[in-house]
Amino acid sequence: MTRTVDDVNVGSLLRSWRKLRRITQLELALKADSSARHISFIETGRSMPSRTMVLHLAEQLDVPVRERNSLLMAAGYAPSYPETPLADPAMTPLRAGLEQLLTAYEPHPALVMDGMYDVVAANRGVRMLLDGVAGHLLRPPMNAMRLTLHPQGLAPRIRNLPEWRAHLLERMERQAAMRSSQTLQSLYEEVAGYPVPGGDGSQPAAPGHTAADGTAAHPYALPLRIELGGRVLSFISTATTFNTPMDVTVSELAVETFLPADPETAAVLHAAR
């Protein structure tokens, strides 16, 4: 969502979010238990919404927590959600819980990323996969997208790189649009411009067809197929976020876990443990 000079009041911002979500004023009014007339008045500045109304409309429009603060400030209210650094002492219970989760998931790879896909915590399963990655990509803050798609990162060892690359780029593009984040968009443009090792970045095979490395596509989810020590490991990934976050930092955290997609991969992981 590109903002202009006119996007300085809460009405303009709400209209931009509504258009981004591709719903009409009437549809928003029905979702918010309001009227299309009232929504129109708010968007045009003829009516100033209460603090409660701003938060209610933001919830109906699925506005990210960080941007909800921006809406409140544009309406003349104080931000509602703090942004506490993960290293802050107040976050000690959260950090401890995440570390316990990552450790319990071993030997399977698991990591925690922030809203820019920077890795804030990882277990030994992830470190095992990073063997051979260029040192400059491992310097903090490590970025999961750069680690995966850079030609000096994991990309040369990913057997189904065209399919996995397309999946990651689509995910980033969707997140950048959902969050209205120019920073994420810039990261997307950077990693999308990386040369593709051993290929031209052609379109992936359709679901149910043969994958790029000649193996059959997975029947229920796209696997990450990566070479490690002369073997090809196959993983299915999941991403978990916090329900009803009350802090900007927490709202942007995601736990990424990798399940073995076949018995051979499970056996290799348990042997490594």
Side-chain angles (χ1 to χ4, degrees):
M1 178 172 59
T2 302
R3 293 176 181 168
T4 67
V5 176
D6 294 330
D7 292 333
V8 294
N9 60 70
V10 67
S12 297
L13 292 175
L14 285 169
R15 181 173 63 245
S16 296
W17 280 108
R18 177 179 60 77
K19 290 182 176 180
L20 184 64
R21 298 297 184 251
R22 298 182 179 180
I23 63 175
T24 65
Q25 289 181 343
L26 178 58
E27 289 171 329
L28 176 58
L30 292 173
K31 288 166 63 74
D33 195 24
S34 183
S35 68
R37 179 184 176 88
H38 186 42
I39 298 298
S40 176
F41 276 23
I42 290 175
E43 290 187 355
T44 58
R46 295 179 65 182
S47 177
M48 178 57 66
S50 67
R51 180 186 184 86
T52 301
M53 187 61 170
V54 172
L55 291 172
H56 185 51
L57 291 176
E59 181 178 1
Q60 304 311 310
L61 292 169
D62 195 24
V63 177
V65 170
R66 180 181 297 278
E67 298 299 332
R68 294 186 190 193
N69 279 343
S70 298
L71 287 172
L72 286 168
M73 291 187 290
Y77 304 115
S80 182
Y81 303 94
E83 184 175 1
T84 311
L86 197 57
D88 192 281
M91 291 291 203
T92 298
L94 175 65
R95 294 196 309 273
L98 290 173
E99 290 290 349
Q100 184 178 14
L101 175 64
L102 297 182
T103 301
Y105 206 75
E106 293 175 350
H108 306 154
L111 54 87
V112 182
M113 299 176 293
D114 65 14
M116 276 296 295
Y117 296 99
D118 286 339
V119 178
V120 298
N123 67 6
R124 287 178 291 183
V126 170
R127 299 185 192 114
M128 177 180 67
L129 296 179
L130 298 181
D131 183 47
V133 170
H136 68 91
L137 294 172
L138 299 176
R139 298 191 193 106
M142 293 190 303
N143 185 272
M145 293 302 177
R146 294 188 180 102
L147 281 170
T148 305
L149 298 179
H150 196 282
Q152 294 179 323
L154 299 177
R157 291 194 283 117
I158 298 177
R159 291 294 185 87
N160 59 337
L161 181 59
E163 292 85 0
W164 193 252
R165 177 177 181 272
H167 153 67
L168 292 183
L169 292 179
E170 189 276 334
R171 173 179 171 180
M172 290 184 66
E173 191 172 34
R174 182 175 66 251
Q175 288 291 332
M178 288 291 290
R179 297 178 185 175
S180 182
S181 172
Q182 185 56 51
T183 308
L184 264 182
Q185 183 63 34
S186 297
L187 177 63
Y188 167 84
E189 292 170 0
E190 175 193 334
V191 299
Y194 289 160
V196 181
D200 57 2
S202 57
Q203 291 297 315
H209 288 63
T210 301
D213 62 352
T215 60
H218 207 278
Y220 55 83
L222 177 69
L224 167 64
R225 292 178 49 80
I226 184 167
E227 187 273 331
L228 182 68
R231 302 188 183 191
V232 177
L233 306 185
S234 185
F235 297 97
I236 299 297
S237 69
T238 69
T240 305
T241 57
F242 287 88
N243 286 331
T244 321
M246 301 303 294
D247 186 282
V248 174
T249 299
V250 176
S251 74
E252 295 176 350
L253 292 178
V255 181
E256 188 99 3
T257 57
F258 294 86
L259 294 165
D262 53 45
E264 293 77 15
T265 299
V268 169
L269 291 175
H270 282 283
R273 184 176 188 178

